[in-house]
Amino acid sequence: MVMLKALVVDDASFVRDLVKRTVRQRFPVFETIDAQNGRRAQSLMSRTAFDLVLCDWEMPEMSGLELLQWMREQPQYEKVPFIMITSRGDKNHVIEAVKGGVSEYLGKPFSPDGLSRKIIKVMGRKLQDAMDHSGKSMASPADAFKESAALLTRKQEPATAPGTPEKSAPSSPLMPGSPATPRQAQARGAMSLASIRFAGSTLKSVVKDINLTEVRVIAKRDQVFPGILDQAVVDIETGEGQMARLNGYVHQLQAVDKRQDTDFVSVTIRFVDEDPKKLEDLSRFVARFRAGKR
């Protein structure tokens, strides 16, 4: 029998599904309900009492910080745990969230273990009592990983245009017939730097090509690489001191050329963000990027 309610708030349905599945796998006493932005979450919270809120920061209509500030003004939610799950992990944003009353702060990309630890920390005895009362035990990390991997696999296909077989990729903007090295990309005036953040490490790379659904980067092989289907956050230098931050997962890893001792590896990240503002900013960057390649 479900005894606790958790609200998962994120504009990306992909991320919401990952969070919900992890919570249900690890803590079967939770019922999970989701919302695509802070405004929708606010409406749900006004009608239903929640025991835990897991929320993104950057969302259309109402941000996670605005939802947190509103929540702390409501007597029934003054002390309800609020975990901010976001790619905005710099010190200033953490401080701002703490001032707003956040219970815990979890950076994207996150692991099932990392999320579970945060939930255990903020829920404390209430969660343990619910688990004991239900007679259920927490799932193993391997179970949660299998669920996440299965979800990622199902999410791969929509990124390809309907009716376009995967093997036709060379005609796609992201999969040209002859990959270029970072030096060649720079020579064309099309070089943009990108950092691929994944659990425990950061991969420095150069953007080879990009569109609204995915980015292909080239990185030196002497670095630590993520695995296929790993969550990732892509930070791209867009010029004039601006940084685009996009959530996604690793879709493909391959050598840049056929030599076994090749110095470079190609990494394709598929985006999962659904925020219209992010997509608008990405569209402008893609246009500038392509103009620079001509």
Side-chain angles (χ1 to χ4, degrees):
M1 178 176 128
V2 173
M3 301 175 62
L4 301 173
K5 289 183 181 290
L7 179 60
V8 180
V9 193
D10 199 296
D11 63 283
S13 59
F14 174 91
V15 177
R16 294 198 303 271
D17 288 345
L18 279 177
V19 174
K20 287 191 298 180
R21 286 172 180 273
T22 298
V23 172
R24 288 198 297 260
Q25 280 289 312
R26 296 296 181 91
F27 312 106
V29 294
F30 270 110
E31 176 187 0
T32 57
I33 299 172
D34 64 300
Q36 67 270 31
N37 58 52
R39 189 70 65 195
R40 174 61 178 161
Q42 188 181 52
S43 176
L44 289 170
M45 293 170 71
S46 299
R47 303 195 304 268
T48 304
F50 290 95
D51 303 285
L52 172 66
V53 178
L54 305 111
C55 185
D56 185 27
W57 186 306
E58 297 174 298
M59 298 179 293
E61 296 192 40
M62 176 184 278
S63 71
L65 182 62
E66 291 171 329
L67 177 65
L68 171 61
Q69 293 168 338
W70 170 84
M71 179 176 162
R72 292 309 183 214
E73 293 173 354
Q74 313 308 309
Q76 70 271 33
Y77 286 116
E78 187 178 357
K79 295 183 179 179
V80 170
F82 186 108
I83 300 177
M84 190 78 82
I85 306 175
T86 175
S87 55
R88 303 179 72 167
D90 53 279
K91 183 179 179 180
N92 291 338
H93 285 111
V94 174
I95 292 174
E96 195 172 359
V98 170
K99 288 180 178 179
V102 76
S103 306
E104 274 293 333
Y105 199 100
L106 179 63
K108 293 178 182 176
F110 59 88
S111 67
D113 283 345
L115 177 57
S116 298
R117 284 193 294 269
K118 296 291 185 181
I119 292 173
I120 291 171
K121 182 176 180 180
V122 301
M123 293 300 297
R125 189 67 193 175
K126 186 174 184 178
L127 174 60
Q128 187 61 58
D129 288 345
M131 297 292 286
D132 291 344
H133 187 269
S134 69
K136 295 182 178 180
S137 59
M138 299 182 191
S140 69
D143 292 335
F145 175 79
K146 290 176 183 176
E147 283 292 320
S148 298
L151 173 64
L152 284 162
T153 302
R154 287 196 294 275
K155 289 291 181 178
Q156 288 183 53
E157 297 306 322
T160 303
T164 303
E166 194 67 29
K167 290 183 180 179
S168 66
S171 63
S172 164
L174 277 186
M175 303 293 277
S178 54
T181 65
R183 183 175 300 175
Q184 291 170 324
Q186 186 175 17
R188 289 200 302 265
M191 187 176 76
S192 291
L193 302 180
S195 295
I196 312 298
R197 287 188 280 128
F198 55 100
S201 194
T202 299
L203 181 70
K204 299 297 183 182
S205 63
V206 172
V207 176
K208 177 62 177 68
D209 215 336
I210 186 170
N211 62 27
L212 293 179
T213 61
E214 57 189 16
V215 61
R216 184 175 176 229
V217 302
I218 306 295
K220 292 195 69 174
R221 64 176 293 184
D222 59 359
Q223 303 179 75
V224 176
F225 281 77
I228 297 294
L229 303 181
D230 280 359
Q231 296 177 64
V233 175
V234 184
D235 295 326
I236 302 175
E237 296 181 15
T238 59
E240 300 178 353
Q242 299 298 310
M243 181 76 73
R245 181 176 290 116
L246 300 153
N247 299 291
Y249 67 91
V250 180
H251 173 65
Q252 186 179 60
L253 290 169
Q254 66 180 43
V256 167
D257 55 50
K258 296 180 179 180
R259 294 182 299 108
Q260 186 176 5
D261 61 346
T262 180
D263 291 328
F264 298 101
V265 175
S266 167
V267 184
T268 300
I269 307 293
R270 284 197 167 165
F271 302 133
V272 300
D273 288 305
E274 298 171 14
D275 184 342
K277 178 63 168 61
K278 276 193 175 184
L279 294 177
E280 181 182 339
D281 292 342
L282 176 59
S283 180
R284 285 197 292 267
F285 173 70
V286 170
R288 289 197 302 269
F289 183 87
R290 298 201 179 288
K293 291 182 69 175
R294 290 198 289 268

